[in-house]
């Protein structure tokens, strides 16, 4: 009977150690996933701010100048010479 009780105690101890290791792995994974969630929420906020900015007159003027080369009446666009 003592041998059986010792065997069950050993099995119980072994299973407890396995569960503790698994719990530590899950805690680390949870922390990693929470960090990813925080990063994605930050990106989401940045995208919301960008969405608001692209609807402003300032953004439209910036794109018109940089990509289309347009200027306001009375403005002079100076471009540097490209060295070849």
């Amino acid at each position: 009977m003592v041998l059986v009780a010792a065997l069950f105690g050993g099995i119980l101890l072994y299973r407890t150690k396995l569960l503790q290791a698994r719990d530590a792995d899950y805690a680390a994974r949870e922390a990693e996933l929470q960090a990813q969630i925080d990063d994605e929420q930050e990106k989401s906020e940045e995208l919301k701010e960008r969405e608001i900015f692209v609807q402003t007159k300032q953004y439209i003027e910036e794109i018109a100048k940089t990509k289309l080369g347009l200027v306001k009446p009375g403005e002079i666009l100076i471009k540097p010479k490209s060295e070849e």
Side-chain angles (χ1 to χ4, degrees):
M1 290 300 257
V2 173
L3 183 60
V4 172
L7 182 63
F8 281 135
I11 292 172
L12 183 61
L13 183 62
Y14 174 74
R15 296 289 291 171
T16 301
K17 293 293 182 183
L18 283 178
L19 289 175
Q20 287 174 345
R22 213 182 265 175
D23 186 44
D25 289 342
Y26 288 151
R29 179 73 175 142
E30 181 182 9
E32 180 182 321
L33 290 173
Q34 186 61 46
Q36 288 178 359
I37 288 171
D38 293 342
D39 288 343
E40 292 301 321
Q41 286 176 340
E42 186 177 314
K43 287 179 186 177
S44 176
E45 289 298 319
E46 289 173 2
L47 286 174
K48 286 178 186 176
E49 291 174 9
R50 180 73 175 165
E51 181 181 17
I52 292 169
F53 176 67
V54 297
Q55 296 172 1
T56 64
K57 186 177 180 180
Q58 179 185 0
Y59 175 76
I60 294 169
E61 289 176 359
E62 182 181 308
I63 294 299
K65 285 181 181 180
T66 57
K67 296 205 177 191
L68 303 175
L70 301 176
V71 293
K72 290 182 180 180
E75 274 188 330
I76 300 172
L77 182 63
I78 302 175
K79 292 184 181 180
K81 282 186 175 181
S82 60
E83 295 181 25
E84 294 179 12

